[in-house]
Amino acid sequence: MALHDDLVKQKRKKMTLFYVVDTSGSMQIDSRIGKVNSAIENVMNKLEEISDSNEDAEIRVAILEFSTGAHWVTPVPVSPSEYMHVPLQAGGVTDLGAACKALDDKLHRDNGFLDVSSGTYPPIILLMSDGEPNDNWQKPLADLKQNGWFKRAIKIAFAIADEASNDVLAEFVGSREAIIHVNDMTSLEKFIVKASEITSEFQSRSKSSEEVERTSEASSEDLVTRIMTEVSNDTMMMNGFSGDFNMQNGSSAAGGFDPWAQTDPSWDEFN
């Protein structure tokens, strides 16, 4: 039985969760980078549980930081259990264009992070930033948008504090509804953790034919609604309230698309 389980796990596809983190100097304010560090470190056990219980795919994580230039914290994607957290340090400017180029270089099978013999599901990309880009980001982002894996990825942005550029973040993720705005730094960690959990559960399982036909932007919007709803419900429960909280832009519970129905797609057409 153990041998059978090992063989099943070896045949599982991979799904990579990318954290793209702004580590510019302004991320020192109000311990923004500290909250990001705590969230990434603390969510790994939960991601490992999700991965271990998943017969469809194994979850891997990759972390890209950008400030003055961009740097892969993880030279290759690793499982949550293998991830050894080294706190990200804030300093420098906001070179989003460098991050887009670095991401585009790795969202490939050939010499990239998605070269997996067992197959790969489209990734998740969680972008976190608290400011305006300082480099020429438009051309690298335009090139990134032509990447087949980026097109099919679940993309969610965290606009940290009022200084974050909603226009730029919306350009990256494809929709303003796929942006989570966080001004209260005590909530930032909660949103990152919840987003990591919910998107990983969704993207690492096979999909229904209806979901396959939807754009990644529409699925990302639905997931943002679910993330915000669950964080709000958790907060109300902690404060002694009960009952469901539904965002005005609609959730699956309110009759919208249910992103949790599942069957099976093939993603072999991408880069």
Side-chain angles (χ1 to χ4, degrees), residues 155-178:
K155 299 178 287 290
I156 294 174
F158 294 82
I160 301 172
D162 293 332
E163 296 84 1
S165 173
N166 291 322
D167 290 339
V168 173
L169 295 178
E171 187 71 19
F172 185 95
V173 298
S175 167
R176 286 181 176 269
E177 284 68 38

Tab-separated table of all heavy atoms in Angstrom, residues 155-178:
chain	number	residue	atom	x	y	z
A	155	LYS	N	-3.650	35.311	-10.854
A	155	LYS	CA	-2.832	36.479	-10.517
A	155	LYS	C	-3.597	37.388	-9.566
A	155	LYS	O	-4.689	37.865	-9.908
A	155	LYS	CB	-2.432	37.239	-11.781
A	155	LYS	CG	-1.604	36.407	-12.753
A	155	LYS	CD	-1.262	37.172	-14.018
A	155	LYS	CE	-2.436	37.362	-14.940
A	155	LYS	NZ	-2.892	36.116	-15.588
A	156	ILE	N	-3.028	37.615	-8.400
A	156	ILE	CA	-3.635	38.479	-7.391
A	156	ILE	C	-2.562	39.441	-6.893
A	156	ILE	O	-1.418	39.042	-6.665
A	156	ILE	CB	-4.207	37.662	-6.223
A	156	ILE	CG1	-5.384	36.803	-6.712
A	156	ILE	CG2	-4.651	38.565	-5.068
A	156	ILE	CD1	-5.928	35.838	-5.667
A	157	ALA	N	-2.934	40.717	-6.743
A	157	ALA	CA	-1.997	41.723	-6.250
A	157	ALA	C	-2.448	42.233	-4.890
A	157	ALA	O	-3.645	42.351	-4.619
A	157	ALA	CB	-1.892	42.887	-7.232
A	158	PHE	N	-1.473	42.549	-4.060
A	158	PHE	CA	-1.714	43.177	-2.767
A	158	PHE	C	-1.221	44.615	-2.847
A	158	PHE	O	-0.016	44.849	-3.011
A	158	PHE	CB	-0.980	42.425	-1.652
A	158	PHE	CG	-1.491	41.046	-1.406
A	158	PHE	CD1	-1.080	39.988	-2.201
A	158	PHE	CD2	-2.402	40.799	-0.391
A	158	PHE	CE1	-1.565	38.704	-1.988
A	158	PHE	CE2	-2.889	39.522	-0.172
A	158	PHE	CZ	-2.476	38.478	-0.970
A	159	ALA	N	-2.156	45.565	-2.759
A	159	ALA	CA	-1.809	46.982	-2.734
A	159	ALA	C	-1.613	47.366	-1.275
A	159	ALA	O	-2.584	47.500	-0.518
A	159	ALA	CB	-2.913	47.816	-3.372
A	160	ILE	N	-0.356	47.513	-0.884
A	160	ILE	CA	-0.023	47.736	0.517
A	160	ILE	C	0.054	49.237	0.774
A	160	ILE	O	0.927	49.923	0.232
A	160	ILE	CB	1.303	47.053	0.875
A	160	ILE	CG1	1.206	45.541	0.596
A	160	ILE	CG2	1.666	47.294	2.332
A	160	ILE	CD1	2.516	44.803	0.744
A	161	ALA	N	-0.884	49.743	1.545
A	161	ALA	CA	-0.973	51.160	1.907
A	161	ALA	C	-1.407	52.001	0.707
A	161	ALA	O	-1.509	51.522	-0.423
A	161	ALA	CB	0.334	51.667	2.503
A	162	ASP	N	-1.657	53.285	0.956
A	162	ASP	CA	-2.207	54.169	-0.071
A	162	ASP	C	-1.216	54.491	-1.175
A	162	ASP	O	-1.616	54.936	-2.252
A	162	ASP	CB	-2.683	55.487	0.571
A	162	ASP	CG	-3.880	55.282	1.479
A	162	ASP	OD1	-4.653	54.328	1.232
A	162	ASP	OD2	-4.046	56.070	2.430
A	163	GLU	N	0.076	54.299	-0.907
A	163	GLU	CA	1.083	54.652	-1.907
A	163	GLU	C	1.143	53.673	-3.078
A	163	GLU	O	1.726	53.979	-4.110
A	163	GLU	CB	2.476	54.735	-1.256
A	163	GLU	CG	2.619	55.824	-0.203
A	163	GLU	CD	2.121	55.386	1.169
A	163	GLU	OE1	1.687	54.216	1.295
A	163	GLU	OE2	2.171	56.209	2.098
A	164	ALA	N	0.570	52.506	-2.921
A	164	ALA	CA	0.601	51.509	-3.997
A	164	ALA	C	-0.165	52.029	-5.215
A	164	ALA	O	-1.190	52.698	-5.084
A	164	ALA	CB	-0.001	50.198	-3.510
A	165	SER	N	0.321	51.699	-6.396
A	165	SER	CA	-0.313	52.147	-7.634
A	165	SER	C	-1.347	51.132	-8.101
A	165	SER	O	-1.005	50.063	-8.610
A	165	SER	CB	0.742	52.350	-8.727
A	165	SER	OG	0.118	52.635	-9.964
A	166	ASN	N	-2.619	51.487	-7.939
A	166	ASN	CA	-3.677	50.580	-8.395
A	166	ASN	C	-3.642	50.391	-9.905
A	166	ASN	O	-3.941	49.302	-10.407
A	166	ASN	CB	-5.042	51.128	-7.967
A	166	ASN	CG	-5.256	51.055	-6.473
A	166	ASN	OD1	-4.841	50.099	-5.834
A	166	ASN	ND2	-5.883	52.065	-5.909
A	167	ASP	N	-3.289	51.441	-10.639
A	167	ASP	CA	-3.243	51.331	-12.099
A	167	ASP	C	-2.187	50.315	-12.532
A	167	ASP	O	-2.435	49.477	-13.408
A	167	ASP	CB	-2.932	52.697	-12.718
A	167	ASP	CG	-4.087	53.677	-12.580
A	167	ASP	OD1	-5.230	53.226	-12.374
A	167	ASP	OD2	-3.838	54.899	-12.667
A	168	VAL	N	-1.014	50.378	-11.917
A	168	VAL	CA	0.059	49.458	-12.288
A	168	VAL	C	-0.285	48.030	-11.876
A	168	VAL	O	-0.094	47.083	-12.641
A	168	VAL	CB	1.394	49.900	-11.645
A	168	VAL	CG1	2.476	48.853	-11.889
A	168	VAL	CG2	1.827	51.245	-12.200
A	169	LEU	N	-0.803	47.857	-10.660
A	169	LEU	CA	-1.152	46.519	-10.188
A	169	LEU	C	-2.254	45.908	-11.047
A	169	LEU	O	-2.217	44.710	-11.367
A	169	LEU	CB	-1.576	46.570	-8.717
A	169	LEU	CG	-0.482	46.989	-7.731
A	169	LEU	CD1	-1.045	47.039	-6.310
A	169	LEU	CD2	0.717	46.049	-7.790
A	170	ALA	N	-3.237	46.724	-11.436
A	170	ALA	CA	-4.314	46.224	-12.290
A	170	ALA	C	-3.773	45.831	-13.660
A	170	ALA	O	-4.231	44.858	-14.266
A	170	ALA	CB	-5.409	47.276	-12.440
A	171	GLU	N	-2.790	46.572	-14.151
A	171	GLU	CA	-2.163	46.231	-15.432
A	171	GLU	C	-1.472	44.881	-15.334
A	171	GLU	O	-1.487	44.088	-16.277
A	171	GLU	CB	-1.162	47.320	-15.812
A	171	GLU	CG	-0.567	47.175	-17.186
A	171	GLU	CD	-1.552	47.470	-18.316
A	171	GLU	OE1	-2.585	48.130	-18.045
A	171	GLU	OE2	-1.293	47.019	-19.446
A	172	PHE	N	-0.880	44.593	-14.186
A	172	PHE	CA	-0.176	43.322	-13.995
A	172	PHE	C	-1.157	42.155	-13.884
A	172	PHE	O	-0.990	41.136	-14.567
A	172	PHE	CB	0.696	43.396	-12.742
A	172	PHE	CG	1.556	42.187	-12.507
A	172	PHE	CD1	2.867	42.158	-12.957
A	172	PHE	CD2	1.069	41.071	-11.841
A	172	PHE	CE1	3.679	41.045	-12.750
A	172	PHE	CE2	1.863	39.950	-11.627
A	172	PHE	CZ	3.168	39.939	-12.086
A	173	VAL	N	-2.165	42.274	-13.030
A	173	VAL	CA	-3.070	41.141	-12.787
A	173	VAL	C	-4.236	41.089	-13.760
A	173	VAL	O	-4.926	40.073	-13.848
A	173	VAL	CB	-3.599	41.145	-11.334
A	173	VAL	CG1	-2.462	40.996	-10.351
A	173	VAL	CG2	-4.408	42.401	-11.030
A	174	GLY	N	-4.484	42.195	-14.484
A	174	GLY	CA	-5.529	42.180	-15.505
A	174	GLY	C	-6.873	42.701	-15.083
A	174	GLY	O	-7.788	42.767	-15.900
A	175	SER	N	-7.022	43.083	-13.804
A	175	SER	CA	-8.325	43.527	-13.320
A	175	SER	C	-8.164	44.206	-11.963
A	175	SER	O	-7.422	43.723	-11.107
A	175	SER	CB	-9.280	42.336	-13.183
A	175	SER	OG	-10.430	42.687	-12.456
A	176	ARG	N	-8.874	45.305	-11.761
A	176	ARG	CA	-8.859	45.958	-10.448
A	176	ARG	C	-9.526	45.086	-9.382
A	176	ARG	O	-9.227	45.214	-8.198
A	176	ARG	CB	-9.560	47.319	-10.515
A	176	ARG	CG	-8.739	48.391	-11.218
A	176	ARG	CD	-9.447	49.734	-11.244
A	176	ARG	NE	-8.596	50.749	-11.845
A	176	ARG	CZ	-7.758	51.530	-11.164
A	176	ARG	NH1	-7.692	51.408	-9.853
A	176	ARG	NH2	-7.018	52.429	-11.785
A	177	GLU	N	-10.431	44.218	-9.813
A	177	GLU	CA	-11.118	43.336	-8.869
A	177	GLU	C	-10.217	42.210	-8.369
A	177	GLU	O	-10.606	41.455	-7.476
A	177	GLU	CB	-12.380	42.754	-9.504
A	177	GLU	CG	-13.545	43.722	-9.587
A	177	GLU	CD	-13.296	44.865	-10.552
A	177	GLU	OE1	-12.682	44.625	-11.617
A	177	GLU	OE2	-13.688	46.010	-10.246
A	178	ALA	N	-9.037	42.077	-8.951
A	178	ALA	CA	-8.087	41.060	-8.489
A	178	ALA	C	-7.011	41.680	-7.597
A	178	ALA	O	-5.951	41.083	-7.397
A	178	ALA	CB	-7.443	40.348	-9.674
